Amino acid sequence: MRGDTGSVAIEAAIILPPLIMFVCLAIAGGRIVTSGAKIDTAAQDAAREASIHRTAASAQAAAQSAAAESLDDQGITCASTTVNINTGGLSVPVGQVGTVTVTVSCTVNLSDLLLPGVPGTRTLTSTATSVVDAYRQRGA
């Protein structure tokens, strides 16, 4: 029985580092998945907000504001954020269906996980489209 002394410490030293890495990878994966879903929501909110405006300029401003507000409300802190809006659907004649498309890109910080092999940041992108009411008056 004396030969087993210290074997638990050796087993722990062998098993613990991979276990810790697995937990950190799971946390990183969870952060990426939940952040992606929240960025999807921000893009949907921005597209919907842009689609109810009459002019491209007001739609651009509203979409930018809606995306920033949605990300903030959901607790997402982006190292950098870009919001691209295609307001071409606002220029179609009344009676025809148009769409507004918004693409939101957010650079999520992963450096606080201190996991080797995981990049410090990851850029997540989401695109959403919203239909413009075909019979709503549009601005010039």
Side-chain angles (χ1 to χ4, degrees):
M1 284 294 185
R2 285 201 176 262
D4 290 341
T5 303
S7 64
V8 171
I10 293 172
E11 289 172 5
I14 292 171
I15 292 174
L16 214 49
L19 183 62
I20 290 171
M21 285 186 65
F22 176 74
V23 168
C24 288
L25 279 172
I27 292 170
R31 184 175 297 177
I32 289 169
V33 169
T34 58
S35 295
K38 291 176 180 182
I39 293 166
D40 289 345
T41 300
Q44 291 167 357
D45 291 347
R48 178 65 189 134
E49 187 65 31
S51 73
I52 62 174
H53 285 269
R54 295 173 191 246
T55 65
S58 66
Q60 293 264 353
Q64 292 276 356
S65 176
E69 185 177 329
S70 181
L71 290 171
D72 186 49
D73 287 349
Q74 296 181 76
I76 296 289
T77 304
C78 301
S80 67
T81 306
T82 58
V83 181
N84 296 317
I85 303 112
N86 178 352
T87 57
L90 294 176
S91 62
V92 300
V94 173
Q96 294 180 7
V97 176
T99 59
V100 175
T101 303
V102 175
T103 302
V104 176
S105 295
C106 173
T107 303
V108 178
N109 189 10
L110 300 173
S111 62
D112 59 336
L113 297 177
L114 301 174
L115 185 64
V118 173
T121 59
R122 174 100 187 248
T123 301
L124 303 173
T125 302
S126 181
T127 301
T129 300
S130 185
V131 176
V132 177
D133 184 359
Y135 297 103
R136 182 180 173 130
Q137 179 182 357
R138 294 172 176 87

